[in-house]
Amino acid sequence: MWNSAESAFTRTPSYREGGEDEEALRWAALERLPTYARVRRGIFKNVVGDHKEMDLSELEVQEQKLVLERLVSSVDDDPERFFDRMRKRFDAVRLEFPKIEVRVQNVTVESFVHVGSRALPTIPNFVFNMTEALLRRLRIYRGDRSKLTILDDVSGIIRPSRLTLLLGPPSSGKTTLLLALAGRLGNDLQVLGF
C-alpha cells in the first residue's frame, strides 16, 4: 500500500542514518538503465515510508488500481502540477514526449451547392432549400445543385515540433483542410482519401 497523500512519482530526499541518500542512489541507478527498462520502472513510497523500486508491468491488480487512483486524483486536484510532474518524470528517465506526424494523401472534398441567386441567404431561398432537402430525403426530387470541389487531391506532411503556416486566398479550402485533419467535417460533404 502506498501513501495516497503523495504523488506516485515523488522524488524527495530520504536521508538514512549515516547521511546516505538512498533514494538519490536508486534514481541514479534507474537513470543508468536502458530506455526500454527505464520507462517500465518507478520508485514508490509505501505507507511505512520506505522507497521501493519496482517494475510497473509486475504490479498486482490492487497495486495497479491504487497507482491509477492516485494519478487520477492528482489530476483532479491540480492538472498543471500533474503535467509538471509528468514532465519531470520524463526528464528523469531521459525520454521525449511522443510526437505526432500528420500525413494526408489524395484528399478530395466535394459538396453539392446551389449557384447564382439561389445561393444567397434569403428567407425564400431558405424555405426552398429546406423543402428541397425534405423531398431529397424522400427521394421524390433530386434538385438542381452543382458539384463543388473544395479540396482536390491534396497531399502533405505536417511534421512534429514545427510551426506550419497554411496560406491561401479566401474560399480556397483552408478551414476545410484543417477540419478534415481534425476529423470534424460535416456529414453533407463527400470525402475521399486520407
Side-chain angles (χ1 to χ4, degrees), residues 23-92:
E23 184 183 0
L25 292 174
R26 287 185 183 180
W27 275 104
L30 184 68
E31 290 171 354
R32 285 191 295 268
L33 291 173
T35 303
Y36 186 80
R38 271 191 315 230
V39 173
R40 286 161 176 74
R41 301 199 64 77
I43 299 175
F44 296 97
K45 184 176 181 181
N46 59 15
V47 175
V48 180
D50 295 334
H51 289 85
K52 178 180 172 184
E53 181 182 339
M54 56 190 350
D55 189 347
L56 300 176
S57 62
E58 296 174 359
L59 291 176
E60 296 176 8
V61 174
Q62 289 291 58
E63 293 173 328
Q64 289 176 356
K65 287 181 181 178
L66 188 59
V67 169
L68 288 175
E69 286 174 7
R70 288 173 59 188
L71 287 173
V72 169
S73 69
S74 66
V75 170
D76 292 341
D77 295 341
D78 187 6
E80 185 176 342
R81 210 172 98 215
F82 170 76
F83 289 118
D84 186 46
R85 273 200 322 261
M86 291 304 295
R87 165 73 71 184
K88 288 178 183 175
R89 169 68 175 159
F90 271 64
D91 292 344

Side-chain angles (χ1 to χ4, degrees), residues 95-185:
L95 289 176
E96 290 184 15
F97 278 96
K99 297 179 179 172
I100 298 172
E101 181 178 271
V102 179
R103 292 176 181 244
V104 293
Q105 288 183 336
N106 307 327
V107 176
T108 301
V109 178
E110 298 173 340
S111 180
F112 289 94
V113 296
H114 295 286
V115 293
S117 64
R118 185 71 192 278
L120 295 174
T122 63
I123 293 175
N125 282 344
F126 173 76
V127 173
F128 290 140
N129 291 344
M130 294 304 288
T131 307
E132 188 177 305
L134 176 66
L135 295 175
R136 253 194 329 272
R137 275 192 188 252
L138 297 174
R139 298 176 191 245
I140 296 172
Y141 177 68
R142 289 195 64 187
D144 54 342
R145 299 180 303 158
S146 301
K147 182 162 79 167
L148 172 69
T149 303
I150 300 170
L151 297 176
D152 188 19
D153 199 32
V154 175
S155 298
I157 300 172
I158 299 175
R159 305 236 183 244
S161 302
R162 294 216 176 145
L163 182 66
T164 302
L165 182 63
L166 183 60
L167 294 173
S171 300
S172 64
K174 300 179 298 291
T175 303
T176 304
L177 177 62
L178 293 175
L179 289 172
L181 293 175
R184 304 185 82 190
L185 280 176

